[in-house]
Amino acid sequence: MSTQTQQTEIGEFPATWSVDRVDSAFDIQQGKQVSKKNRDGDHQRPFLRTKNVFWNRLDLTDLDEMHFSEAEQARLQLRTNDLLVCEGGSIGRTALWNNEVEGCLYQNHLHRLRVKGQKADAQFSVYWLWYAFDVAKLYFGRGNVTTIPNLSQSKLAELPMAFPPLPEQKKIAHILSTVQRAIEAQERIIQTTTELKKALMHKLFTEGLRGEPQKQTEIGPIPESWEVVPFDKFATLQRGYDLRKQDFREGPVPVIGATQVIGYHDTANVKAPGVTVVRSGSSAGKALYIEEDFWAHNVLLYVKDFHGNVPKFVYYKIMALDLTQYKQGVAVPTLNRNTFRTIEVSVPAPKEQQQIADALDSVERKCAVAERKKAELQDLFRTLLHELMTAKIRVHNVAIK
């Protein structure tokens, strides 16, 4: 295989690759405009919008419908391996159609690219556009710049695109798709584990671990040995402390913000283990468990007194109570501890609290492992996407079965 290269307007590529306009390899068609007038009619058909199209995947849970005449259906009905490219919003975002919904069409904010001839592989082309638009920003500024930036059909048609030999395109697509499937597998594990954790929390907080007979209380049936106490006797929350940017100091103590470490200090105002609840903003009501001494920022409520309860149990119990329902305000949702301090909470003895916390911990650890693997695979995917599309890694000698 030749190692000669060529310099092009979008970078240096192997001499065996060609660089040409998008419309040299694709037939391009824009969809039907959505309007009240266009919606009326007897031939209601499902159609895709930009909200359905993500990078290399489609979300078909919310399909809209409108009237398409027979002529429009013949012109706009999607076929397997059609590319759908966003004209507006996230310009260039592309997914592949695999005939998931019979007779589906698309609106005018999407372009349909259909391979013509033997120049391009459809799946490779999705990955190329992902690389060019989202990673390398090769097409930055090439859209129509108006009040709302958009990618017209003529602009899309003239975009330069790299075309390795077709067998090499297929191998590149196969490698990237393999990593994508591994990411999707981790996402399924995360979803399943999250659902398991939710179901387990409900069971453990209503039935316990010991198979005890239940007693009826003002908050429903609970195990006989459990108590019902006001929230403030279960865990007393205190608002965190003001800390301006200029007050941050070099030190080993993490300053905890809404959902993450936002800096460091030399003084801790909360001793570990700690439990916090986000007080304001979009994450209000989210619980965090902190395993080291920390400084609680004023966007948080932190547990000042556990009243002898197991901290990890308190953390899970707060999650199960869903304090988000007590948020107040629209512009900046805020959690006022006085609004829920009197709600009734069911509490077992400390030994059973620890056992329940341990059971939930094991599920949470499995979810965390899957999250880490997913993040590692996403990093690998972006690295491979860049290296393969710039020919830093060549796959022409790789045998794909």
Side-chain angles (χ1 to χ4, degrees):
M1 178 71 70
S2 171
T3 58
Q4 292 184 335
T5 61
Q6 57 175 318
Q7 187 63 44
T8 75
E9 62 177 304
I10 53 173
E12 187 177 20
F13 296 101
T16 54
W17 293 23
S18 65
V19 174
D20 209 339
R21 289 166 52 116
V22 166
D23 63 358
S24 70
F26 297 94
D27 173 66
I28 305 173
Q29 176 67 58
Q30 202 161 6
K32 180 178 179 176
Q33 182 179 11
V34 180
S35 67
K36 188 177 185 305
K37 178 182 176 183
N38 285 344
R39 283 185 179 277
D40 296 336
D42 297 331
H43 300 290
Q44 296 293 315
R45 294 290 183 270
F47 70 94
L48 298 178
R49 298 164 287 173
T50 55
K51 68 176 292 185
N52 301 117
V53 177
F54 297 85
W55 282 116
N56 198 39
R57 70 179 179 88
L58 295 165
D59 181 355
L60 304 177
T61 55
D62 181 21
L63 282 184
D64 201 353
E65 290 190 351
M66 70 174 165
H67 168 79
F68 288 86
S69 68
E70 290 186 4
E72 288 170 333
Q73 290 180 53
R75 181 169 58 91
L76 299 176
Q77 187 163 308
L78 292 165
R79 300 179 192 169
T80 300
N81 282 337
D82 281 346
L83 278 69
L84 292 155
V85 182
C86 291
E87 176 259 1
S90 182
I91 290 177
R93 194 168 60 199
T94 306
L96 197 63
W97 179 253
N98 287 309
N99 205 32
E100 290 89 345
V101 178
E102 189 69 31
C104 195
L105 302 104
Y106 55 102
Q107 72 155 133
N108 64 316
H109 291 310
L110 292 172
H111 300 287
R112 186 267 295 148
L113 272 62
R114 184 170 291 160
V115 174
K116 60 184 181 183
Q118 298 295 313
K119 193 169 186 175
D121 174 76
Q123 183 63 76
F124 168 85
S125 302
V126 172
Y127 290 132
W128 168 266
L129 292 173
W130 193 344
Y131 163 73
F133 276 107
D134 190 54
V135 177
K137 312 294 184 187
L138 293 181
Y139 301 146
F140 180 77
R142 288 181 181 261
N144 299 320
V145 181
T146 59
T147 305
I148 303 175
N150 64 88
L151 181 66
S152 67
Q153 182 171 327
S154 60
K155 290 287 186 182
L156 175 59
E158 68 185 20
L159 292 177
M161 179 173 173
F163 297 97
L166 198 58
E168 191 170 352
Q169 290 186 44
K170 291 181 181 295
K171 291 176 181 178
I172 289 171
H174 176 83
I175 290 169
L176 292 171
S177 294
T178 299
V179 180
Q180 283 269 286
R181 285 193 294 272
I183 292 170
E184 290 163 5
Q186 295 304 317
E187 288 173 342
R188 287 192 293 272
I189 292 171
I190 292 165
Q191 181 180 359
T192 302
T193 308
T194 301
E195 291 170 357
L196 172 62
K197 176 181 166 186
K198 185 176 179 181
L200 186 60
M201 285 173 71
H202 175 75
K203 183 175 179 64
L204 293 177
F205 289 138
T206 55
E207 300 177 20
L209 273 172
R210 300 176 180 177
E212 289 183 68
Q214 293 196 305
K215 61 184 178 184
Q216 198 60 239
T217 71
E218 58 269 38
I219 60 173
I222 63 171
E224 279 188 344
S225 64
W226 290 31
E227 292 184 275
V228 175
V229 300
F231 184 91
D232 206 41
K233 296 296 183 183
F234 168 66
T236 301
L237 293 177
Q238 171 70 44
R239 180 172 168 170
Y241 299 88
D242 289 335
L243 190 66
R244 299 166 300 171
K245 205 167 187 180
Q246 58 266 36
D247 295 329
F248 280 68
R249 301 176 190 170
E250 291 296 328
V253 178
V255 178
I256 309 297
T259 58
Q260 60 188 356
V261 176
I262 59 173
Y264 291 88
H265 205 268
D266 59 6
T267 303
N269 56 31
V270 183
K271 296 296 182 180
V275 176
T276 70
V277 181
V278 181
R279 185 178 63 84
S280 63
S282 59
S283 297
K286 181 179 177 64
L288 302 170
Y289 183 81
I290 316 296
E291 295 185 352
E292 57 186 321
D293 294 354
F294 65 99
W295 178 291
H297 196 264
N298 68 355
V299 297
L300 298 175
L301 300 172
Y302 70 92
V303 177
K304 181 180 180 182
D305 190 346
F306 289 99
H307 299 286
N309 294 303
V310 174
K312 204 59 174 287
F313 176 85
V314 172
Y315 162 69
Y316 285 122
K317 189 71 172 180
I318 287 174
M319 289 178 66
L321 288 171
D322 186 20
L323 297 184
T324 60
Q325 62 185 301
Y326 299 98
K327 291 188 294 188
Q328 299 174 349
V330 177
V332 182
T334 301
L335 197 63
N336 186 329
R337 66 191 180 95
N338 293 318
T339 62
F340 57 83
R341 63 192 303 176
T342 59
I343 65 173
E344 301 293 302
V345 180
S346 59
V347 185
K351 184 177 179 180
E352 190 172 0
Q353 289 185 29
Q354 188 62 61
Q355 291 170 336
I356 289 173
D358 290 344
L360 292 170
D361 260 350
S362 66
V363 179
E364 194 159 84
R365 283 194 296 271
K366 289 179 182 178
C367 193
V369 168
E371 292 277 11
R372 284 195 299 272
K373 287 182 178 178
K374 177 187 171 183
E376 291 167 359
L377 286 165
Q378 287 174 325
D379 289 343
L380 173 62
F381 175 80
R382 291 185 76 85
T383 299
L384 284 173
L385 186 63
H386 179 269
E387 298 291 296
L388 289 167
M389 293 305 174
T390 55
K392 300 287 192 306
I393 296 175
R394 300 297 302 277
V395 297
H396 47 271
N397 291 324
V398 175
I400 302 295
K401 295 182 180 181

